[in-house]
């Protein structure tokens, strides 16, 4: 069955440090890939998505992610963390045989940013 | 402003007392979906709707009902709530699918409804 794995339920970084949040999927069919962010007491907001074309995708707030088919990964990065990046991040995928509408989410990674 | 709204935002109820959580979008989206979010489990899809009068089960539909009589509204109904339905619920919508079901549309999420069933 298709699945999404986010390694690490919590990631802690210092302000100004590199942010790396990991996401791997299992599927023989290339999916569409998404990263969503959830700030405290808010809904989910799309950070970025990969569908086709260039494998390095840039999103909002300085985040980017690279689709690596050989590694079935879509890790999220940001060169320099800011205090305002503290939130929960969800990787999600969708597949063509489900009409691309059905999103399957990872379990989430909470990013903690210390001064 | 384009948005997905949910009501109520917070609800505390008792076992067995029927309740409805409303969801409305003003973007003329065809696709709508309900998710529940639980710690350590991420978001799981409850039900979805491809268009008016077209609904289908997601991954965790037991104990829930939905209806889609109008394009903009997609209420979630709990006929007899139980404590294991205590959760944070999100409604989402997207523009929809062309023929063949392929779409790159983003799903827009509502602010969430925190439900506690005692």
């Amino acid at each position: 069955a298709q699945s999404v794995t986010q390694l690490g339920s919590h990631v802690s970084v210092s302000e100004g440090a590199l942010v790396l949040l990991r996401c791997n999927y299992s599927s023989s069919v290339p999916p569409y890939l998404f990263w969503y962010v959830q700030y405290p007491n808010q809904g989910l907001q799309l950070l970025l998505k990969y569908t086709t074309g260039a494998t390095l995708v840039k999103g909002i707030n300085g985040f980017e992610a690279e689709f690596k088919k050989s590694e079935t990964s879509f890790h999220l990065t940001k060169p320099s963390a800011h205090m305002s990046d503290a939130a929960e991040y969800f990787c999600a995928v969708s597949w063509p045989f489900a009409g691309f509408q059905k999103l399957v989410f990872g379990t989430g990674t909470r990013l903690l940013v210390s001064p | 402003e384009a948005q997905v709204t949910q009501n109520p935002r917070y609800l505390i109820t008792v076992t067995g007392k029927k309740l409805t959580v409303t969801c409305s979008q003003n973007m003329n989206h065809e696709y709508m979906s309900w998710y529940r979010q639980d710690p350590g489990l991420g978001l799981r899809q409850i039900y979805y709707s491809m268009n008016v009068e077209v609904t289908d089960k997601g991954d965790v539909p037991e104990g829930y009902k939905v209806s889609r009589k109008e394009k903009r509204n997609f209420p979630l109904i709990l006929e007899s709530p139980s404590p294991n339905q205590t959760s944070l619920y999100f409604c989402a919508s997207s523009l929809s699918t062309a023929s063949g079901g392929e779409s790159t549309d983003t799903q827009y999420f509502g602010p969430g409804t925190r439900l506690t069933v005692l």
Side-chain angles (χ1 to χ4, degrees):
Chain A
Q2 291 73 33
S3 65
V4 181
T5 302
Q6 289 183 243
L7 190 62
S9 59
H10 292 80
V11 170
S12 295
V13 300
S14 299
E15 193 172 20
L18 171 72
V19 175
L20 171 61
L21 304 182
R22 300 178 186 274
C23 174
N24 288 87
Y25 66 92
S26 65
S27 173
S28 58
V29 178
Y32 287 0
L33 297 145
F34 306 80
W35 275 101
Y36 282 86
V37 60
Q38 184 180 30
Y39 298 104
N41 299 314
Q42 294 187 28
L44 278 73
Q45 178 184 3
L46 182 71
L47 271 180
L48 49 79
K49 65 180 180 182
Y50 169 79
T51 55
T52 58
T55 56
L56 181 62
V57 180
K58 295 186 185 300
I60 61 172
N61 300 339
F63 284 92
E64 61 182 39
E66 186 171 12
F67 170 53
K68 292 187 177 180
K69 185 178 177 181
S70 61
E71 299 178 6
T72 60
S73 69
F74 191 57
H75 302 331
L76 182 70
T77 60
K78 182 174 180 178
S80 177
H82 192 273
M83 296 295 290
S84 61
D85 295 327
E88 188 154 22
Y89 293 79
F90 291 94
C91 180
V93 299
S94 64
W95 285 276
F97 44 78
F100 288 111
Q101 293 291 354
K102 179 179 170 61
L103 284 175
V104 175
F105 285 86
T107 53
T109 298
R110 186 169 297 279
L111 177 65
L112 307 169
V113 183
S114 57
Chain B
E1 180 189 355
Q3 60 183 348
V4 179
T5 57
Q6 296 179 227
N7 282 292
R9 294 288 313 279
Y10 302 90
L11 179 60
I12 300 175
T13 189
V14 295
T15 299
K17 185 176 181 181
K18 181 179 178 180
L19 67 91
T20 299
V21 183
T22 65
C23 172
S24 183
Q25 49 89 8
N26 61 0
M27 296 170 278
N28 201 36
H29 285 173
E30 292 185 350
Y31 181 88
M32 298 186 74
S33 180
W34 276 103
Y35 298 87
R36 60 177 289 173
Q37 181 181 10
D38 301 291
L41 297 177
L43 281 82
R44 294 176 292 168
Q45 189 180 53
I46 303 171
Y47 268 94
Y48 66 94
S49 170
M50 300 293 279
N51 213 325
V52 175
E53 302 291 2
V54 181
T55 63
D56 207 347
K57 297 177 180 179
D59 298 316
V60 288
E62 293 78 20
Y64 304 95
K65 285 175 58 177
V66 293
S67 69
R68 188 90 182 273
K69 294 183 171 59
E70 306 167 278
K71 199 172 188 179
R72 63 183 293 125
N73 296 321
F74 190 45
L76 179 69
I77 303 157
L78 285 72
E79 294 270 2
S80 183
S82 62
N84 64 12
Q85 293 178 297
T86 292
S87 186
L88 180 57
Y89 292 86
F90 288 101
C91 180
S93 72
S94 65
L95 185 58
S96 186
T97 60
S99 175
E102 183 170 330
S103 168
T104 62
D105 290 320
T106 299
Q107 288 198 25
Y108 296 87
F109 284 78
T113 295
R114 187 167 294 281
L115 172 65
T116 301
V117 183
L118 301 175

